[in-house]
Each structure stands twice: as structure tokens, then as C-alpha cells.
Amino acid sequence: MKRKIAIIAGGDSSEYEVSLRSAAGIESFLADQQQYTTTIVLLRGTDWKAKVSENEWVAIDKNDFSYTHNGEKHTFDFAYITIHGTPGENGVLQGYFDMIGMPYSCCGVLAAAMTFNKYTCNHYLKGFGVRVAESVLLRKEAIRRLDDEARGKEIVEKVGLPCFIKTNVGGSSFGVTKVKTVEEVEPAIAKAFAEGDEVICEAFMQGVEITCGAYKTREKAVAFPITEVVTSNEFFDYDAKYNGQVDEITPARIPDEVRDKVQALTLKIYEILGCKGIIRIDYILTEGWTINLLEVNTTPGMTATSFIPQQVRAAGLNIGEVLSEIIEDSF
């Protein structure tokens, strides 16, 4: 019997459309794996539905994550979560699947919730000797304690200029501003709060931006070749990520010993956080090839041109087989 895989996409963040592209990518990667049948399941708020044909969707029964079509009940063996943002990246959906006993592809509740909160994750890892940028956390309910001008000055005194202001509880494609003056702080905070209730203000680090994917099973631990990210934009923003305004060089043009250290650190962070499935960790290499953590992504993009498929190809691996290893590791 073929395993029935639900590829879960959508979600409630601004990265909804990106998630749909990742789901299409995963569906295509698994198409060559003869042991699976796949179904796209779309989540948007309380509207959960399974795609049963090109133009037909059927409601999901949330009691057991099943659906009924033409009088027949259909269940799933495994959930491949590819939602970027809430509820698939922050532990909420993982808690639901834990409760109904459905195995899934990515980190569990604790690791997902922690990595989704950039400030919490980075400061937790800082306690293990991981270098991170200086940062300030703002919560929406507490921002009235200082007037706008005082808050801007306080943030700049702490993290310097330029700095990045972005949502603390979402992806890094929307609501991100590279701030160069004190006057730009407040508009940037307002823009970031449009994406969530917490904002992180983070010091700018000059250097080489890289990203490294990894996964583990009971049998192996694999760190992929590293990708170097080069863009003429102010930073690696939405247009750089999804509209081709970037050069993605795999393997990265860095010394072999630096590559080895980054891959080792990626696997170490994977263990510290208790991750599962494929993750991707972004870094900045500053002067002297010093490794600085940017953020941990536990549901990375999975389109054909995303970093992870690129790195898998560079490693001489087959992405469908890698996904199959992750699925089978749950059984």
C-alpha cells in the first residue's frame, strides 16, 4: 500500500503565496517516489480543504484530519508541512498533529515555537556560544512606554546605524526595513508590526551572507553544501528571494575550513534545538571569517529554485529521495 501524504500549504501570514509554490515543489519532488500518493491540503484560518481534482476542493474534518469525497472517507499517513509562518512554522499545527497522532515532517512544538521567535531563538543559542547580532525586542502592548523620538534614539544607541527592523514572529520576506537614520525608525517599526505583535531591531553586520541546509534521520546527519547570497539590493529582500534579483552561488566561495565550521555549527544547532526534517540556517561571515547567526528556518522554501533543492543538487543527491528519507524516518 502506498503511503498517503498530505502536503500542507497556505497559512495566515503574508507568505501564503510562497507556501503554495513550495507545496507545488514538494509535490513534484515526490512524484517520482512510487511509494507515495500526495494531496495538497490548503489551510487559511479555519478553512481547511483538500484538493481532490484540478478545480475541486473538499473540506477537511479537523477531528482526525480526513476528508470525504464521493461517499468515501480518506485519511493520511503523514503530513508534510510547508507553511511559511503561522500556524505551520510556529508549533501550533504541530501541536494539533501531536494530539491526533499524525506524524509530520518538521520540528516539534518547542523547537518550532522557539525558532519562529527570532529574538528568543538567537538569545537562547547565544548561551551556547553562538555569535548573534545585538538586538532590541519590542512588543506591541508595551510600545507606548516611550514617545516615538525617545524610542528611536534608545534603539539606535543600543544597536547602532544602519540596523534592520523586522517582525520577530514571521518570515523575513515582508515587513523588513534597513534603517539608516533615527527618523526612519518609527515608520519601520509600524511596517514590521503590520506582520505581527513583536518586532526585532537588529544591528547591521557587514560581511558575506551564506545559508546552509541540513537534515538528520536515525541513520545519518547531513549538512548540505553552503550557498553564498549576493544581491545588489539593500539586503536579501522579497525581490531578491523570489524575483531573481540575486546571485545564489553554491558552493559558496569561502575557505574549506570555514565551510567545515559552518556545516558543523549547523548540525550542532540542529541538535541543541532538537530539530526534525530539513532546516536552513542563515549566517553572516564578518571580518576574519567570523561566523554570525542570522536566523534558523525550520520550514524553508522548497520551490525548484529555492536554496535547499539547489544545495541538494550540489551535494549530488536526489531531492525526492531526501524527502522520502525524512518521511520514512517517522515509521
Side-chain angles (χ1 to χ4, degrees):
M1 295 289 290
K2 291 186 176 183
R3 295 200 198 281
K4 292 169 283 188
I5 311 299
I7 302 172
I8 304 173
D12 304 321
S13 79
S14 296
E15 295 189 89
Y16 179 89
E17 294 296 334
V18 179
S19 172
L20 300 189
R21 290 187 235 171
S22 287
I26 291 169
E27 185 178 40
S28 69
F29 301 147
L30 288 175
D32 293 333
Q33 305 303 303
Q34 301 300 315
Q35 69 269 44
Y36 305 121
T37 60
T38 59
T39 302
I40 301 288
V41 177
L42 196 59
L43 274 58
R44 189 70 155 177
T46 59
D47 182 22
W48 296 16
K49 55 190 179 183
K51 185 176 183 180
V52 295
S53 68
E54 190 59 36
N55 298 306
E56 187 178 4
W57 297 79
V58 177
I60 289 285
D61 182 346
K62 300 183 185 71
N63 290 297
D64 58 1
F65 204 70
S66 66
Y67 68 91
T68 300
H69 183 235
N70 292 335
E72 182 181 353
K73 181 173 179 175
H74 298 263
T75 59
F76 296 102
D77 300 308
F78 186 89
Y80 202 107
I81 301 172
T82 187
I83 291 175
H84 308 308
T86 186
E89 199 170 3
N90 59 354
V92 174
L93 193 57
Q94 289 86 337
Y96 163 78
F97 283 130
D98 285 343
M99 292 181 72
I100 67 169
M102 173 80 73
Y104 50 87
S105 58
C106 52
C107 293
V109 174
L110 178 60
M114 184 179 294
T115 54
F116 189 68
N117 189 298
K118 300 177 182 70
Y119 185 88
T120 298
C121 183
N122 286 11
H123 281 73
Y124 177 70
L125 291 171
K126 185 178 180 180
F128 289 86
V130 178
R131 291 178 59 93
V132 299
E134 191 70 52
S135 60
V136 173
L137 177 67
L138 303 175
R139 292 191 174 94
K140 186 171 283 188
E141 71 272 12
I143 62 172
R144 295 182 183 85
R145 293 176 186 169
L146 288 172
D147 62 58
D148 290 358
E149 183 177 354
R151 180 167 55 244
K153 289 180 179 178
E154 185 177 273
I155 289 169
V156 170
E157 286 173 6
K158 182 75 180 291
V159 303
L161 289 172
C163 67
F164 284 103
I165 295 179
K166 57 188 179 181
T167 178
N168 187 49
V169 287
S172 296
S173 298
F174 296 90
V176 186
T177 306
K178 185 177 181 181
V179 170
K180 299 178 180 178
T181 67
V182 175
E183 292 73 25
E184 293 173 350
V185 169
E186 284 306 313
I189 290 173
K191 181 180 178 181
F193 270 132
E195 298 295 325
D197 290 340
E198 293 186 4
V199 166
I200 184 172
C201 310
E202 202 166 54
F204 170 75
M205 294 182 289
Q206 181 70 49
V208 178
E209 184 166 351
I210 60 170
T211 186
C212 181
Y215 76 103
K216 290 189 178 184
T217 67
R218 288 186 293 267
E219 309 298 328
K220 65 176 74 172
V222 179
F224 297 132
I226 296 164
T227 300
E228 179 182 349
V229 182
V230 183
T231 179
S232 57
N233 295 8
E234 281 283 358
F235 58 95
F236 189 49
D237 58 9
Y238 182 89
D239 282 331
K241 286 183 182 179
Y242 303 114
N243 293 329
Q245 298 175 13
V246 66
D247 290 323
E248 299 168 0
I249 303 165
T250 309
R253 301 167 298 181
I254 58 178
D256 290 351
E257 61 269 22
V258 178
R259 173 203 64 204
D260 294 345
K261 288 179 180 178
V262 170
Q263 290 177 324
L265 178 58
T266 299
L267 292 175
K268 176 184 176 182
I269 290 172
Y270 193 111
E271 280 296 314
I272 290 171
L273 296 174
C275 293
K276 182 174 177 283
I278 296 176
I279 70 165
R280 198 193 78 233
I281 303 183
D282 302 337
Y283 303 94
I284 289 282
L285 302 175
T286 51
E287 188 175 357
W289 300 111
T290 301
I291 304 168
N292 304 270
L293 172 70
L294 285 177
E295 62 180 65
V296 179
N297 302 277
T298 58
T299 57
M302 292 294 286
T303 69
T305 57
S306 294
F307 288 126
I308 293 297
Q310 286 183 51
Q311 294 177 3
V312 170
R313 289 193 295 270
L317 302 173
N318 178 285
I319 184 65
E321 292 174 1
V322 170
L323 298 184
S324 179
E325 287 181 25
I326 290 167
I327 293 169
E328 295 306 314
D329 198 51
S330 293
F331 297 98

